[in-house]
Amino acid sequence: MTIRDDINAIPDADLRSGAISADYLVHMDFVDMPKRWWTGWGDLESGGHVWQGIGDMISISDLPASYGPSADQITLTLQGATQEMLALAKAASSRVYGRDITVYQQFFSVTPVDSTAQPWSPLGPAFALYSGRMDQMTYKASEVTRAIELTAEGLFTNRNAPPNGRWTDADQKRRHPGDRGCDRMHLYTNYSPIWTV
């Protein structure tokens, strides 16, 4: 079923009531504990999963407007992080980098036409707006605020790059584990040799 079919499946009476809202659902596939949360309050059951409500604790940057494949980057920001959260962010690169992230949009009936339905009932299934991979987690701390930022890149970020196509130590080790031929490549960045005759 496509996004258009999902929206068309919403009853016409609900659409015409004007009491419809939408929110984001986010699935972050961390290594040890995948997380599902949404930008509302309380737990939400949708698509066979329970999504934890976090309200406005985490903000999401502008999502790409196109529904086609994209390499756009998004940023998620957690405001008011605790010291424990900052410590986890410092050690999170192995749990976060390269892991999948998907942002969904879910329509809700704020005041349902059907009297048996609860307020803020999901209307149809959620549909994916953005799929990507988590990149870098950074943290900022000052006397006033503490924030953690996580960037994610679209699935097509490295589409044109050949696999292991860079002459870096990491790529060389992926090609030939244990090879130390590119260990010193970082020393030669912006290096101009002086040739003697």
Side-chain angles (χ1 to χ4, degrees):
M1 202 178 241
T2 65
I3 294 171
R4 186 179 187 109
D5 293 335
D6 289 342
I7 294 172
N8 286 337
I10 298 173
D12 195 44
D14 287 325
L15 291 173
R16 292 182 186 276
S17 71
I20 291 181
S21 186
D23 249 321
Y24 295 119
L25 283 64
V26 180
H27 175 244
M28 303 169 85
D29 188 28
F30 296 120
V31 168
D32 51 352
M33 185 176 62
K35 191 75 174 161
R36 293 180 189 275
W37 55 270
W38 73 294
T39 53
W41 305 97
D43 288 347
L44 169 73
E45 288 187 34
S46 178
H49 301 286
V50 176
W51 306 78
Q52 180 185 7
I54 50 106
D56 55 1
M57 277 183 58
I58 299 177
S59 61
I60 303 172
S61 66
D62 293 338
L63 293 168
S66 67
Y67 287 103
S70 71
D72 294 327
Q73 185 180 62
I74 64 168
T75 303
L76 291 87
T77 306
L78 169 67
Q79 296 291 345
T82 63
Q83 289 289 351
E84 293 81 17
M85 291 176 180
L86 292 178
L88 285 171
K90 289 178 186 177
S93 62
S94 62
R95 296 177 52 226
V96 173
Y97 183 76
R99 304 296 295 177
D100 292 336
I101 181 171
T102 308
V103 180
Y104 300 90
Q105 188 164 38
Q106 174 72 63
F107 286 111
F108 295 94
S109 180
V110 178
T111 52
V113 175
D114 181 6
S115 60
T116 62
Q118 293 290 323
W120 284 89
S121 297
L123 283 175
F127 54 90
L129 288 179
Y130 179 86
S131 292
R133 291 199 174 85
M134 293 183 272
D135 190 24
Q136 295 181 356
M137 184 178 283
T138 58
Y139 56 92
K140 299 175 187 173
S142 68
E143 293 177 8
V144 181
T145 61
R146 292 187 201 120
I148 298 173
E149 286 188 352
L150 173 66
T151 56
E153 296 178 333
L155 296 176
F156 288 88
T157 297
N158 290 328
R159 186 172 104 184
N160 294 330
N164 299 326
R166 298 180 183 91
W167 288 105
T168 63
D169 186 41
D171 280 351
Q172 184 64 14
K173 282 191 171 50
R174 272 195 229 56
R175 280 189 288 268
H176 306 285
D179 187 350
R180 299 189 60 199
C182 291
D183 272 357
R184 299 174 53 88
M185 287 299 285
H186 68 281
L187 299 174
Y188 300 111
T189 304
N190 299 325
Y191 175 75
S192 296
I194 300 172
W195 298 99
T196 58
V197 180

